[in-house]
Amino acid sequence: MPTFVRVALVRNKLMHAYRERPPYQQNDYLGWIIRAKLEPTRERRLAQMLDELAHGDRYMKMVYRPKRTSMKTSELAGKRRHQRVCTK
């Protein structure tokens, strides 16, 4: 990750939001930003990424809905097992 991106994420307290995104989105954002040939374009793309991370509902100007992972897989399996037993 380029230093200027890391600094922007930390300064805006968005590193956690960035890390919560799937790896392909993290890579897309970085590649998209660093491929900009002009500094104003790079800055505009960085600002868009920061805004999308801050709001959490966009990815590259598209609607983004993160997967719900509030329950661990083992907890979910136990809950399903309990439901089957209780309904018999």
Side-chain angles (χ1 to χ4, degrees), residues 17-52:
Y18 174 80
R19 294 288 183 210
E20 287 291 311
R21 295 293 179 110
Y24 79 90
Q25 288 186 12
Q26 295 177 27
N27 292 334
D28 284 351
Y29 273 132
L30 293 180
W32 179 60
I33 292 167
I34 62 175
R35 280 192 307 272
K37 293 180 177 139
L38 302 174
E39 186 63 29
T41 305
R42 197 171 7 259
E43 290 172 7
R44 188 180 71 246
R45 290 178 180 182
L46 177 60
Q48 179 182 326
M49 179 191 75
L50 295 173
D51 184 60
E52 290 177 357

Side-chain angles (χ1 to χ4, degrees), residues 6-82:
R6 182 181 312 279
V7 167
L9 288 168
V10 171
R11 183 182 305 131
N12 290 282
K13 298 179 179 149
L14 292 170
M15 185 61 81
H16 180 71
Y18 174 80
R19 294 288 183 210
E20 287 291 311
R21 295 293 179 110
Y24 79 90
Q25 288 186 12
Q26 295 177 27
N27 292 334
D28 284 351
Y29 273 132
L30 293 180
W32 179 60
I33 292 167
I34 62 175
R35 280 192 307 272
K37 293 180 177 139
L38 302 174
E39 186 63 29
T41 305
R42 197 171 7 259
E43 290 172 7
R44 188 180 71 246
R45 290 178 180 182
L46 177 60
Q48 179 182 326
M49 179 191 75
L50 295 173
D51 184 60
E52 290 177 357
L53 291 173
H55 290 93
D57 62 347
R58 295 274 179 228
Y59 162 67
M60 299 289 193
K61 295 188 178 182
M62 296 178 287
V63 174
Y64 171 70
R65 291 184 185 92
K67 291 182 180 178
R68 295 190 324 164
T69 57
S70 60
M71 195 178 297
K72 293 181 182 175
T73 305
S74 59
E75 292 172 348
L76 185 58
K79 185 175 181 179
R80 286 185 186 140
R81 194 169 29 254
H82 177 72

